[in-house]
Amino acid sequence: MKHKVVIGFRLPDDVEREFSARLDARFVDGAWPRRDATALAALLYGCGGIVVTPPIHADEWLFEHLPASVRVVGTYSVGLDHVDLVAAKKHGIAVVNTPDVLTDAVAETALLLLLGAARRATESIALIRSGQWQGWTPRQIIGQSLAGRTLGIYGMGRIGRGIAARARAFGMTIAYHNTRRLAPALEEGAAYYDTPEALLPVCDALVLACPLTAATRGFLNAGRIALMKPTAIVVNIARGDVVVDDDLIAALKEGRLFAAGLDVFSGEPRLDARYYDFPNLFILPHIGSSTIEARLAMGRAVIDGVIAVLDGGNPGE
Ligand code: NAP
């Protein structure tokens, strides 16, 4: 018999088909019941597992109110910042996520953001779409080349290393800060800086690729931006709350950075409206892992993890 699982959102058709082939899957098409114990109990009646995404917070309240039948919470993401792991442990509920399978997609998005910011894509797209383009001139929309510049990576994990590999192909030199220095085989010649304060001044571009934790929340603030070159680019594919919006906006406004590329935002989808004003900001609506390859593989990873727990085996993580 298939395990009964409720998924808190709709997925691409092929992914839903795979869920339904292997699980008794019900997809919530609309609002997930928040702080409504009766609606939650009705929705999850007889369920062995639930699947959430970053917009659905698997917090203490949720763990407290899950029916006793629920033994696993899967998240359709690698990030776990929306899952209270302490509460999960306290309530004896396994958590599974989707590491590795979205690394390529997110690393590619980081390069898209980096190129979009460096080559002033927002202004270029606006100009050509306005119908006002007067033709090529040597002075129009002059950006920066990535080749020969130093890319700093804050959080040199799976995605950070995927970004490094791609940036090397663009002729960039890699510098990084991470909680721990990597083994030489994983470093692949990248220069390690043992503090962010040492890393930031050498960066021509900085990519934030860390998880959102108590230590990384608000990491990119005014003090740290002040350590960067005024010609530097900032890219965030981590989580919006790693950046202090007021401070990044002030730096862009005052020309203390060349440009920024952002895929994630504090309070998304309602990002700080001031972000819309900057021509030197290249923004994307959290599409980091949005490739069909990643979506399918993320689906398989969650399904495998949920089934492993419900069959009594080991969860993926
Ligand atoms: P990962 O393999 O765990 O890498 C995270 C890296 O950050 C690790 O090397 C970790 O070091 C390091 N780190 C953690 N705290 C740090 C700190 N305070 N200072 C410096 N380094 C720190 O995870 P991943 O698969 O690369 O994913 C990284 C994050 O990307 C996710 O957590 C998620 O928030 C974000 N993400 C975004 C999207 C998107 O759509 N934009 C998609 C997927 C993921 P240690 O291992 O030594 O602790």
Side-chain angles (χ1 to χ4, degrees):
M1 211 174 67
K2 290 181 195 170
H3 299 292
K4 194 172 163 188
V5 171
V6 169
I7 298 98
F9 45 91
R10 294 301 306 266
L11 287 160
D13 289 346
D14 285 348
V15 186
E16 286 194 352
R17 268 193 285 278
E18 197 150 339
F19 266 89
S20 299
R22 298 178 59 198
L23 291 159
D24 177 357
R26 175 170 171 198
F27 302 92
V28 175
D29 191 6
W32 177 261
R34 286 176 203 267
R35 303 288 185 266
D36 183 342
T38 312
L40 191 73
L43 177 68
L44 302 184
Y45 180 76
C47 248
I50 64 167
V51 181
V52 299
T53 49
I56 300 173
H57 285 245
D59 54 12
E60 171 72 43
W61 183 91
L62 183 73
F63 282 108
E64 233 175 71
H65 289 85
L66 287 175
S69 59
V70 173
R71 289 194 285 129
V72 56
V73 170
T75 178
Y76 195 74
S77 66
V78 61
L80 288 162
D81 44 286
H82 56 297
V83 180
D84 185 336
L85 296 175
V86 175
K89 198 168 181 185
K90 181 173 130 194
H91 292 277
I93 293 173
V95 174
V96 297
N97 66 342
T98 65
D100 295 314
V101 294
L102 42 57
T103 297
D104 288 340
V106 184
E108 287 169 7
T109 304
L111 265 293
L112 172 63
L113 290 168
L114 196 51
L115 285 164
R119 299 304 297 272
R120 300 173 57 179
T122 300
E123 289 161 89
S124 300
I125 292 166
L127 176 61
I128 195 161
R129 284 187 182 275
S130 72
Q132 304 299 312
W133 182 41
Q134 299 295 315
W136 187 89
T137 84
R139 294 166 66 98
Q140 73 167 3
I141 307 187
I142 296 172
Q144 292 184 1
S145 183
L146 300 186
R149 294 186 190 260
T150 296
L151 175 65
I153 299 177
Y154 178 69
M156 193 71 151
R158 291 169 289 240
I159 294 171
R161 296 196 299 275
I163 295 165
R166 286 159 177 82
R168 280 187 197 101
F170 278 87
M172 301 192 86
T173 299
I174 310 300
Y176 76 100
H177 172 70
N178 196 60
T179 38
R180 291 167 284 154
R181 182 170 185 168
L182 304 183
L186 293 178
E187 246 179 16
E188 295 191 82
Y192 175 66
Y193 288 79
D194 61 359
T195 64
E197 286 66 32
L199 171 71
L200 295 172
V202 306
C203 298
D204 294 309
L206 171 75
V207 178
L208 304 170
C210 57
L212 176 63
T213 64
T216 64
R217 185 179 292 276
F219 165 77
L220 195 71
N221 58 18
R224 293 207 170 95
I225 293 172
L227 298 174
M228 299 182 69
K229 300 176 186 177
T231 50
I233 291 169
V234 164
V235 164
N236 189 9
I237 54 89
R239 286 286 183 260
D241 288 326
V242 175
V243 169
V244 177
D245 287 337
D246 283 345
D247 296 354
L248 179 59
I249 286 166
L252 289 169
K253 203 169 180 172
E254 292 157 20
R256 285 187 279 114
L257 288 171
F258 177 76
L262 309 176
D263 182 50
V264 284
F265 302 88
S266 188
E268 61 184 50
R270 282 174 295 283
L271 52 148
D272 191 313
R274 292 171 295 171
Y275 276 132
Y276 298 117
D277 294 339
F278 294 104
N280 56 343
L281 188 62
F282 184 66
I283 50 176
L284 299 172
H286 200 150
I287 60 158
S289 63
S290 303
T291 65
I292 188 60
E293 293 83 358
R295 287 283 171 269
L296 286 164
M298 289 165 74
R300 263 172 231 136
V302 172
I303 295 166
D304 289 346
V306 164
I307 290 177
V309 174
L310 296 179
D311 280 350
N314 289 323
E317 186 162 325

